[in-house]
């Protein structure tokens, strides 16, 4: 099981997904000017969702549940080494789900300002300034995708090897 190269790729992808449980994705700074005073509130998007003092935690989506689901799928893919066809199917499913999570988080990063402005508990949203700054989790999020692709490639290579050996028998 561990001597196959795709097992190493699965382990590296699993480590990347598990690192997401500790690192925040990005921080959101919402500032407004009231008179001559600038009021700033910092909110971060991490494993527990949106956490901050201006938005509150009522709109928080616990992202750690998604990360745990992805980690469990990678573990199941890793353990299905005897059933290569199912392993290929499940690895593809895991890859698609991971890409959808990445696209969803990136879409929120690039298009989420209006959502945050509507969620802010301030009467006048014309003076609000929303700034995003990336954190380490934002970059770790994508790191598992190439390893899942390499694992899928290794599984396909093993499947072709077994088929060629069956032809020789």
């Amino acid at each position: 099981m561990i001597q196959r190269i795709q097992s190493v790729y699965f382990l590296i992808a699993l480590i990347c997904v598990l690192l997401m449980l500790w690192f925040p994705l990005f921080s959101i700074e919402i500032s407004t000017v009231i008179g001559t005073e600038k009021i700033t509130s910092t909110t971060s998007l991490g494993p527990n969702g949106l956490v901050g003092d201006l938005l509150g935690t009522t709109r928080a989506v616990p992202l750690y549940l998604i990360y745990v689901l992805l980690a469990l799928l990678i573990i199941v893919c890793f353990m299905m080494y005897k059933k290569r066809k199912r392993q290929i199917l499940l690895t593809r499913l895991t890859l698609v789900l991971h890409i959808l999570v990445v696209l969803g988080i990136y879409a929120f990063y690039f298009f989420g300002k209006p959502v945050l402005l509507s969620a802010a508990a301030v009467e006048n949203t014309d003076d609000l300034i929303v700034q995003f700054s990336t954190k380490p989790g934002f970059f770790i999020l994508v790191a598992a995708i190439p390893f899942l692709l390499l694992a899928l490639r290794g599984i396909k290579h093993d499947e072709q090897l077994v088929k060629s050996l069956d032809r020789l028998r």
Side-chain angles (χ1 to χ4, degrees):
M1 176 171 85
I2 197 70
Q3 69 267 20
R4 298 167 59 216
I5 189 67
Q6 58 265 28
S7 300
V8 174
Y9 293 142
F10 279 134
L11 286 176
I12 295 172
L14 180 66
I15 289 170
C16 290
V17 171
L18 290 178
L19 281 175
M20 294 298 302
L21 292 172
W22 286 279
F23 290 108
L25 296 169
F26 48 86
S27 65
I28 306 160
E29 185 176 295
I30 301 174
S31 56
T32 184
V33 178
I34 299 177
T36 59
E37 187 178 339
K38 183 176 180 181
I39 300 172
T40 303
S41 172
T42 304
T43 303
S44 67
L45 180 67
N48 293 327
L50 284 172
V51 179
D53 43 345
L54 184 64
L55 296 175
T57 57
T58 58
R59 297 180 186 264
V61 177
L63 291 176
Y64 66 87
L65 294 176
I66 296 172
Y67 301 152
V68 168
L69 173 72
L70 288 174
L72 287 176
L73 283 172
I74 291 173
I75 290 170
V76 169
C77 289
F78 177 74
M79 299 305 289
M80 294 184 74
Y81 60 93
K82 289 185 179 180
K83 301 173 185 170
R84 283 176 302 281
K85 290 185 181 185
R86 285 188 187 167
Q87 190 180 28
I88 289 173
L89 181 68
L90 196 58
T91 304
R92 285 182 181 162
L93 175 71
T94 304
L95 184 63
V96 167
L97 288 176
H98 194 83
I99 289 173
L100 288 177
V101 168
V102 168
L103 288 177
I105 290 174
Y106 275 42
F108 179 75
Y109 178 76
F110 290 111
F111 305 114
K113 288 183 183 181
V115 174
L116 292 176
L117 288 175
S118 67
V122 177
E123 297 84 26
N124 189 6
T125 60
D126 296 334
D127 298 332
L128 285 179
I129 300 168
V130 178
Q131 281 185 312
F132 289 98
S133 62
T134 58
K135 298 291 182 187
F138 194 73
F139 303 107
I140 296 172
L141 185 64
V142 182
I145 294 174
F147 294 113
L148 288 173
L149 286 171
L150 287 171
L152 188 62
R153 183 175 153 198
I155 298 166
K156 286 181 181 179
H157 178 54
D158 281 355
E159 186 66 24
Q160 288 175 351
L161 182 65
V162 168
K163 282 182 182 179
S164 70
L165 290 175
D166 285 345
R167 282 192 296 259
L168 293 175
R169 286 186 206 172

